[in-house]
């Protein structure tokens, strides 16, 4: 996919190895913003964040101080020597931010979900080349995420980054928002030049889990992090449980282990080449086995058609999955991985049998 997107190093915003955005979930007062900004400025932070308008799930929660807070954010950034960023959800937000001299805008997950809202924001940005960060939609829909990025880019914005903040899930037990790492990985495959920023605060929902998600983001070569930080998190008016203190932020950043894509070490290069060649051979064998399996599925489909038997066999499916999970457990393979794998295999087997049934 060809988009006119500048690399992060061309944004004109200084950063070291990782582009770090930090600051409170919400701008609550002038003092809170200035105190937080000055406290985090001693660490390798690239930009100061602060929520001005907060799209809350239900009415009655703190929904931000509104446009008044833009002046606090701007002053705090100036005092700390940091560019500032906030979320915009409609054209009037964009206009107010541009008038106040906000340096970077971001589009939140709820807004990304709505192409009409994204298009209105993109139209309001037309003619202004300001950095825009696009968070993933609430649902794990890569198409919506890419569509929002395309709309912003078509408005003439060339400094665009994606923010991975996780996805809502009814079944999630550990994180506030399920990471679903496969989706940002696929986004990077489709748009290689797009800078990727991880928001561990919204993925985790609690500060105790942050270090693990940050480590994972570094392993996956994310270009930056957005970490919520409050001068006094216990007194925060929104998302108190996921905001760190400036001191805790410093500890997290001091432990960053930025990974490199490769190395010139000859031993590594020889070893990785050998191991990858072995994987290539195994993958070819797997493909051949899958082909054999699908051919047998079609034979089963022909037999079912001749005897007027339903394609779906719920009891057989249940037994097959149970057997495969038992094998996974015995072999030390992850059960969820094996379950997903065989669900996909079964879906393809059903599709093959449907082709037989329809005569295609």
């Amino acid at each position: 996919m060809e988009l006119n997107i500048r690399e992060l190093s061309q944004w004109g915003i200084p950063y070291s190895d990782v582009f770090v955005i930090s600051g409170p979930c919400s701008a609550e007062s002038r003092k809170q913003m200035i105190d937080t900004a000055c406290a985090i400025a001693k660490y390798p932070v690239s930009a100061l964040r602060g929520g001005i308008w907060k799209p809350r799930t239900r009415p009655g929660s703190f929904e931000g101080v509104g446009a008044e807070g833009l002046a606090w954010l701007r002053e705090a950034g100036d005092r700390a020597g940091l560019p500032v960023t906030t979320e915009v959800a409609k054209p009037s937000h964009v206009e107010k931010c541009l008038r106040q001299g906000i340096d970077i805008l971001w589009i939140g997950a709820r807004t990304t979900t709505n192409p009409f809202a994204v298009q209105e924001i993109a139209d309001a940005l037309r003619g202004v080349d300001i950095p825009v960060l696009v968070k993933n939609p609430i649902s794990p829909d890569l198409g919506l995420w890419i569509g929002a990025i395309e709309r912003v880019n078509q408005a003439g914005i060339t400094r665009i980054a994606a923010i991975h903040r996780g996805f809502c899930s009814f079944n999630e037990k550990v994180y506030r928002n399920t990471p679903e790492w496969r989706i940002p990985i696929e986004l990077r495959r489709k748009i290689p030049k797009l800078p990727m920023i991880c928001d561990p605060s919204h993925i985790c929902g609690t500060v105790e889990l942050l270090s693990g998600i940050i480590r994972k983001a570094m392993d996956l070569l994310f270009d930056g992090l957005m970490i919520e930080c409050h001068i006094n998190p216990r007194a925060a008016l929104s998302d108190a449980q996921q905001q760190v203190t400036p001191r805790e932020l410093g500890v997290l950043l001091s432990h960053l282990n930025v990974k490199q894509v490769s190395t010139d070490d000859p031993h590594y290069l020889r070893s990785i080449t050998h191991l990858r060649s072995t994987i290539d051979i195994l993958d070819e064998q797997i493909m051949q086995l899958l082909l054999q399996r699908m051919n047998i599925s079609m034979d089963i489909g022909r037999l079912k058609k001749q005897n007027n038997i339903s394609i779906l066999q719920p009891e057989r499916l249940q037994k097959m999955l149970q057997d495969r999970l038992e094998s996974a457990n015995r072999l030390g393979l992850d059960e969820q991985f094996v379950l997903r794998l065989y669900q996909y295999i079964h879906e393809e087997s059903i599709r093959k049998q449907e082709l037989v049934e329809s005569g295609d």
Side-chain angles (χ1 to χ4, degrees):
M1 179 179 299
E2 288 296 327
L3 296 177
N4 183 20
I5 295 177
R6 284 193 254 171
E7 295 180 0
L8 196 54
S9 60
Q10 300 172 344
W11 280 27
I13 300 174
Y15 70 99
S16 52
D17 293 322
V18 181
F19 191 87
V20 177
I21 301 170
S22 191
C25 172
S26 302
E28 300 163 357
S29 70
R30 175 176 174 270
K31 183 178 188 307
Q32 170 242 10
M33 282 304 310
I34 292 173
D35 288 350
T36 303
C38 292
I40 69 174
K42 66 181 72 172
Y43 304 114
V45 173
S46 313
L48 172 69
R49 62 153 287 157
I52 302 300
W53 302 278
K54 301 298 297 180
R56 307 312 297 274
T57 302
R58 300 180 64 183
S61 303
F62 177 66
E63 297 183 333
V65 296
E68 177 187 11
L70 291 173
W72 306 341
L73 179 61
R74 181 68 273 167
E75 181 182 0
D78 290 342
R79 290 205 184 192
L82 293 171
V84 296
T85 178
T86 196
E87 178 179 353
V88 293
K90 52 187 180 180
S92 62
H93 294 169
V94 173
E95 294 162 5
K96 289 180 173 66
C97 286
L98 294 178
R99 284 201 300 268
Q100 194 64 51
I102 302 304
D103 301 290
I104 306 168
L105 306 179
W106 87 73
I107 298 174
R110 290 176 173 85
T111 307
T112 304
T113 303
N114 184 345
F116 293 107
V118 174
Q119 188 61 57
E120 289 178 351
I121 291 172
D123 291 341
L125 288 166
R126 199 172 298 278
V128 182
D129 193 9
I130 185 174
V132 177
L133 318 176
V134 182
K135 288 198 172 188
N136 61 256
I138 292 175
S139 59
D141 189 329
L142 180 58
L144 271 177
W145 202 358
I146 292 175
I149 292 165
E150 289 175 329
R151 290 175 189 277
V152 172
N153 190 231
Q154 288 172 4
I157 304 298
T158 62
R159 290 178 287 176
I160 304 174
I163 300 181
H164 173 45
R165 48 83 76 193
F167 303 90
C168 291
S169 171
F170 289 115
N171 299 321
E172 183 56 69
K173 298 293 191 297
V174 178
Y175 300 108
R176 177 179 178 182
N177 293 293
T178 309
E180 293 282 5
W181 295 106
R182 61 185 174 83
I183 294 179
I185 289 172
E186 180 64 8
L187 177 62
R188 167 152 279 170
R189 188 186 72 81
K190 287 180 174 291
I191 316 178
K193 293 183 179 179
L194 181 70
M196 300 283 290
I197 295 171
C198 181
D199 179 351
S201 300
H202 277 87
I203 290 176
C204 296
T206 62
V207 299
E208 291 79 12
L209 300 173
L210 288 177
S211 60
I213 290 297
I214 290 172
R215 184 167 57 251
K216 178 78 170 183
M218 293 298 96
D219 285 339
L220 295 179
L221 298 176
F222 274 75
D223 302 284
L225 299 167
M226 178 181 274
I227 304 173
E228 291 190 351
C229 179
H230 193 291
I231 195 67
N232 182 12
R234 287 182 295 181
L237 299 181
S238 59
D239 289 344
Q241 67 278 10
Q242 69 186 38
Q243 300 189 67
V244 297
T245 66
R247 182 187 180 94
E248 291 168 336
L249 174 69
V251 172
L252 287 171
L253 297 182
S254 69
H255 287 89
L256 282 184
N257 182 14
V258 181
K259 301 298 178 70
Q260 55 186 344
V261 176
S262 188
T263 176
D264 294 330
D265 179 70
H267 174 70
Y268 168 83
L269 293 174
R270 284 194 304 271
S271 299
I272 198 71
T273 299
H274 170 70
L275 293 170
R276 285 172 174 168
S277 296
T278 304
I279 282 181
D280 290 342
I281 293 170
L282 291 172
D283 281 347
E284 178 61 28
Q285 294 173 358
I286 290 172
M287 297 290 282
Q288 292 295 331
L289 289 172
L290 284 173
L291 175 61
Q292 293 179 38
R293 196 186 195 284
M294 292 307 153
N295 287 338
I296 293 173
S297 291
M298 295 190 74
D299 289 340
I300 291 174
R302 295 184 187 99
L303 188 60
K304 288 178 179 177
K305 182 177 182 180
Q306 292 169 5
N307 292 273
N308 196 32
I309 302 297
S310 65
I311 291 176
L312 180 62
Q313 298 282 303
E315 291 184 4
R316 163 61 184 168
L317 173 61
Q318 184 67 24
K319 185 178 186 308
M320 186 268 287
L321 291 178
Q322 182 178 344
D323 289 346
R324 303 307 179 265
L325 291 177
E326 289 176 357
S327 295
N329 187 55
R330 185 174 64 255
L331 296 170
L333 293 170
D334 182 77
E335 289 188 5
Q336 287 302 309
F337 162 70
V338 172
L339 176 61
R340 290 196 301 270
L341 173 63
Y342 274 92
Q343 285 173 333
Y344 281 125
I345 289 174
H346 183 259
E347 287 177 13
E348 180 63 8
S349 296
I350 291 292
R351 189 184 74 83
K352 291 287 189 182
Q353 293 182 36
E354 286 174 343
L355 290 175
V356 171
E357 181 67 29
S358 63
D360 294 339

